[in-house]
């Protein structure tokens, strides 16, 4: 009997994503597995290379109505929703958005500069998020970034914390700066961050 992916999804729903190994030519998902949402078009970090053209001035934000529309338009909820911006930590409803996404059996993740640390926000991120990526911005410097990385590493006990490096012709310089800051100035190895 030929394997039928659609029937497999109907019979076991989201559980199939946890244990099911697929073959490219036979399997497909009934909905997107990952959705990337720009929840805010505001950012105060001021990256000269911002691919989102986000500025310190507020130019709009996504509300819970957007996430209601996303979920109501899908037969099966996505496995993950990645939140970005602008700077998602500046979104006034970030905790509520994270909780709403998780209530739909979807894992929220976010990418941030990490510049704005807030205990209540860290608590919500710990409770709801599966992962957080802190973006290294070279124009702010390795010391600035590592300060924030260590602050978030201390605060986050549950989600996976990773480093996001914007690579261009200076990508290897960025990596070298971080290694130097970790090892020479802080006495840490990159392994210590796991």
């Amino acid at each position: 009997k030929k394997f039928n992916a659609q029937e497999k999804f109907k019979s076991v729903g989201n559980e199939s994503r946890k244990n099911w190994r697929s073959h490219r030519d036979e399997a497909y998902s009934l909905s997107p597995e990952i959705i990337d949402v720009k929840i805010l078009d505001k950012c105060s970090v001021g990256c000269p290379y911002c691919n989102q053209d986000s500025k310190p001035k507020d130019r709009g934000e996504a509300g819970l109505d957007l996430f209601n529309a996303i979920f109501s338009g899908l037969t099966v909820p996505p496995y993950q929703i990645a939140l970005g911006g602008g700077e998602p930590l500046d979104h006034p409803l970030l905790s509520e958005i994270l909780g709403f996404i998780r209530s739909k059996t979807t894992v929220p993740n976010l990418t941030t500069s990490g510049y704005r640390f807030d205990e209540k926000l860290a608590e919500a991120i710990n409770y709801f998020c599966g992962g957080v990526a802190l973006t290294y911005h070279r124009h702010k410097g390795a010391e600035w970034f590592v300060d924030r990385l260590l602050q978030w590493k201390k605060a986050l006990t549950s989600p996976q914390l990773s480093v996001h490096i914007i690579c261009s012709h200076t990508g290897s310089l960025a990596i070298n700066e971080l290694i130097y800051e970790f090892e020479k100035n802080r006495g840490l190895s990159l392994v210590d961050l796991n």
Side-chain angles (χ1 to χ4, degrees):
K1 180 179 173 186
K2 185 157 172 66
F3 179 79
N4 184 322
Q6 189 170 12
E7 291 304 313
K8 177 75 172 175
F9 272 110
K10 283 181 184 175
S11 65
V12 294
N14 288 335
E15 292 300 311
S16 65
R17 291 185 176 137
K18 294 178 185 172
N19 305 329
W20 184 41
R21 299 178 79 186
S22 66
H23 302 285
R24 287 182 176 259
D25 58 339
E26 295 177 349
Y28 63 93
S29 181
L30 297 177
S31 70
E33 295 200 3
I34 299 174
I35 297 175
D36 196 336
V37 180
K38 179 178 182 175
I39 63 169
L40 189 66
D41 196 24
K42 173 186 170 186
C43 182
S44 300
V45 177
C47 302
Y49 47 79
C50 181
N51 67 337
Q52 296 293 320
D53 194 33
S54 295
K55 305 286 185 216
K57 183 179 182 217
D58 192 359
R59 299 188 303 183
E61 62 195 37
L64 289 173
D65 55 332
L66 172 65
F67 294 94
N68 268 320
I70 289 171
F71 284 103
S72 68
L74 298 172
T75 308
V76 177
Y79 177 66
Q80 297 178 37
I81 291 186
L83 304 175
E87 175 51 65
L89 297 180
D90 285 338
H91 196 294
L93 298 175
L94 181 59
S95 295
E96 289 84 352
I97 289 170
L98 295 174
F100 180 79
I101 293 169
R102 185 58 93 156
S103 76
K104 300 294 186 180
T105 70
T106 295
V107 178
N109 297 305
L110 64 96
T111 300
T112 175
S113 68
Y115 85 93
R116 182 177 161 252
F117 182 80
D118 176 282
E119 288 286 339
K120 282 201 159 292
L121 208 47
E123 190 177 303
I125 291 167
N126 262 323
Y127 191 73
F128 297 119
C129 279
V132 176
L134 264 63
T135 302
Y136 172 52
H137 298 287
R138 285 194 73 218
H139 71 284
K140 291 288 191 184
E143 184 177 349
W144 183 89
F145 176 76
V146 173
D147 285 344
R148 272 128 200 96
L149 179 66
L150 294 175
Q151 184 179 35
W152 280 99
K153 180 177 175 16
K154 184 178 176 184
L156 298 180
T157 56
S158 183
Q160 177 183 340
L161 180 63
S162 58
V163 175
H164 176 233
I165 299 175
I166 310 284
C167 284
S168 65
H169 63 285
T170 62
S172 62
L173 289 174
I175 293 168
N176 287 337
E177 289 167 353
L178 287 175
I179 291 171
Y180 180 80
E181 182 64 27
F182 287 136
E183 293 179 354
K184 303 294 185 212
N185 294 344
R186 305 294 175 106
L188 297 168
S189 77
L190 293 177
V191 175
D192 292 331
L193 295 172
N194 290 334

